Amino acid sequence: MKKYRVGVVGALGAVGTEMLKTLEQRDFPIEKIKPLDIPENEGKMIVFRGERVSVEVAREGAFKDLDIALFSAGEAASLKLSPVAAAEGCIVIDNSNAFRMNPAVPLVIPEVNPEDLKWHKKIIANPNCSTIQMLVALKPLHDHFTIRRIVVSTYQAVSGTGIPGMAELESQVRAYTEGKPLDVKVYPHQIAFNAIPHIDVFMENGYSREEMKMVNETHKMLHDDSIAVCPTAVRIPVVRCHSEAINIETEKPISVEEAREILEKAPGVKVMDDLSKNLYPLAADLAGTDYVYVGRIRKDISVENGLNMWVVADNLRKGAALNAVQIAETLIKMNLI
Ligand SMILES: NC(=O)c1ccc[n+]([C@@H]2O[C@H](COP(=O)([O-])OP(=O)(O)OC[C@H]3O[C@@H](n4cnc5c(N)ncnc54)[C@H](OP(=O)(O)O)[C@@H]3O)[C@@H](O)[C@H]2O)c1
């Protein structure tokens, strides 16, 4: 089997660390791993498959000896360095928002629209974490019942803001319990013991950019701009795993039994739904896992063809690192690399 030379840009960050772990755990065919980060982190060591590897600087020339570059260093780094990496011969799988809505760049979830990989021109975008878990759960239902409207509220973990988000929650919880003033830097308000309906910047229409990502990315990946999407994105003091309350309206009649049967067979999905045992997906239990978990499947009693569900996934795994590695695996499977 062919082996690949893989770079991870932002290797010391929350997603980068998870990418390295995911590549190891899934036994990705690797000839060489190259962790790349900012100049201040040059020479720091990571351990990959039991070997110590030195972090190098992500800059022009660093991609010439690589086949694949997994980017998770933020939008500015992606805008600057992804085209450089592509020009130096790499296929770039980019986790940031930089290229997601670029019509020349495929935006892909392997369980949803792998066919879009066929038209890649070296840069492929990894969708927003909230959109990934929503569409992994909804695509199989859309295929059977044709979704016309989605109303979604997210309950998003602080690791969605990377290492700084996790550090802020931890320091605020400590300060709160010690009766000290809270240091508020990463979020616009205290995140400890709070719920903040504000993720990313606000747009002119009153929605946040995070919310509009869920609208626009859904349309791009399902190839249908007519699906109505109404999101509310909320940050909560959970470390890992985003939860979503999702309501759908469908063209065809939909029953709980049919939906459950379809979801039980759907790729990447696990149904966790037994009210008699208080069983439903919980963020605290699912950190570090790879599936999109669906529970509380119930009829929307207010409309003709509607369904509600509760969907949880690890934002650092399926919401970021795992989806990126699965894109690379799918490229190999489809002979596109
Ligand atoms: N966290 C999630 O759940 C999630 C989900 C989907 C997508 N993403 C996206 O993934 C990206 C990274 O997020 P994260 O959560 O991993 O953030 P993070 O924990 O802050 O990590 C980012 C890493 O990239 C490094 N970096 C910054 N500028 C760089 C540059 N020019 N070249 C190389 N490395 C650079 C950072 O170094 P310093 O910290 O030392 O500056 C840090 O090590 C973002 O674009 C984010 O939107 C995150």
Side-chain angles (χ1 to χ4, degrees), residues 316-327:
L316 294 178
R317 297 284 294 195
K318 186 57 188 166
L322 174 64
N323 197 69
V325 173
Q326 286 173 321
I327 288 175

Side-chain angles (χ1 to χ4, degrees), residues 16-304:
T17 304
E18 206 59 42
M19 276 174 169
L20 291 163
K21 203 191 286 176
T22 307
L23 289 165
E24 259 182 340
Q25 289 170 341
R26 294 175 73 85
D27 219 4
F28 192 85
I30 287 182
E31 181 187 315
K32 166 191 169 151
I33 191 86
K34 192 174 195 181
L36 296 159
D37 213 282
I38 53 170
E40 291 84 335
N41 292 330
E42 187 177 17
K44 286 190 180 163
M45 302 302 271
I46 60 128
V47 176
F48 189 78
R49 293 188 179 154
E51 298 204 3
R52 284 161 60 79
V53 187
S54 173
V55 172
E56 296 180 41
V57 180
R59 62 176 159 221
E60 222 177 302
F63 304 94
K64 284 188 176 146
D65 56 351
L66 297 177
D67 304 304
I68 302 170
L70 303 176
F71 269 73
S72 65
E75 200 167 333
S78 289
L79 281 169
K80 190 171 149 212
L81 288 172
S82 294
V84 172
E88 290 181 7
C90 270
I91 291 190
V92 171
I93 301 171
D94 183 50
N95 255 283
S96 80
N97 191 45
F99 303 101
R100 288 181 185 146
M101 294 314 296
N102 182 329
V105 174
L107 178 71
V108 174
I109 305 170
E111 293 91 336
V112 172
N113 59 331
E115 69 282 0
D116 284 334
L117 288 173
K118 287 185 195 147
W119 51 270
H120 85 80
K121 299 180 188 74
K122 295 220 156 223
I123 299 179
I124 297 154
N126 205 48
N128 172 257
C129 39
S130 312
T131 316
I132 292 179
Q133 68 183 71
M134 178 172 85
L135 291 192
V136 168
L138 294 190
K139 174 66 170 30
L141 299 175
H142 183 55
D143 288 342
H144 280 81
F145 306 106
T146 313
I147 294 174
R148 295 303 348 147
R149 182 166 187 251
I150 303 167
V151 180
V152 54
S153 296
T154 71
Y155 303 72
Q156 294 183 222
V158 292
S159 56
T161 328
I163 290 171
M166 292 186 273
E168 179 131 320
L169 175 61
E170 200 185 313
S171 88
Q172 286 185 1
V173 169
R174 191 170 299 120
Y176 187 95
T177 51
E178 290 168 359
K180 293 182 182 156
L182 309 191
D183 199 10
V184 176
K185 279 194 300 230
V186 176
Y187 302 109
H189 304 280
Q190 153 191 344
I191 184 63
F193 312 104
N194 210 355
I196 307 175
H198 179 178
I199 300 185
D200 209 328
V201 296
F202 286 119
M203 316 288 288
E204 264 186 11
N205 66 359
Y207 283 73
S208 67
R209 195 161 77 135
E210 182 80 357
E211 290 162 350
M212 291 314 295
K213 285 174 196 168
M214 296 185 80
V215 177
N216 299 330
E217 294 179 21
T218 295
H219 290 162
K220 182 164 176 175
M221 285 185 282
L222 296 184
H223 311 123
D224 185 351
D225 287 355
S226 72
I227 299 171
V229 185
C230 180
T232 304
V234 182
R235 184 79 63 197
I236 59 162
V238 156
V239 176
R240 252 174 106 144
C241 289
H242 292 347
S243 306
E244 295 179 350
I246 301 178
N247 170 266
I248 55 169
E249 274 184 70
T250 55
E251 212 162 275
K252 298 182 193 130
I254 183 168
S255 74
V256 170
E257 295 70 27
E258 283 171 299
R260 182 175 283 128
E261 208 182 308
I262 289 163
L263 287 168
E264 273 167 355
K265 292 187 201 129
V269 175
K270 271 204 195 307
V271 174
M272 223 182 210
D273 195 18
D274 186 346
L275 300 187
S276 71
K277 297 188 174 116
N278 290 348
L279 182 71
Y280 29 74
L282 289 172
D285 295 342
L286 297 171
T289 64
D290 286 349
Y291 288 90
V292 171
Y293 298 86
V294 184
R296 299 292 320 277
I297 304 168
R298 63 206 191 277
K299 207 161 170 47
D300 176 347
I301 49 176
S302 70
V303 293
E304 182 87 21

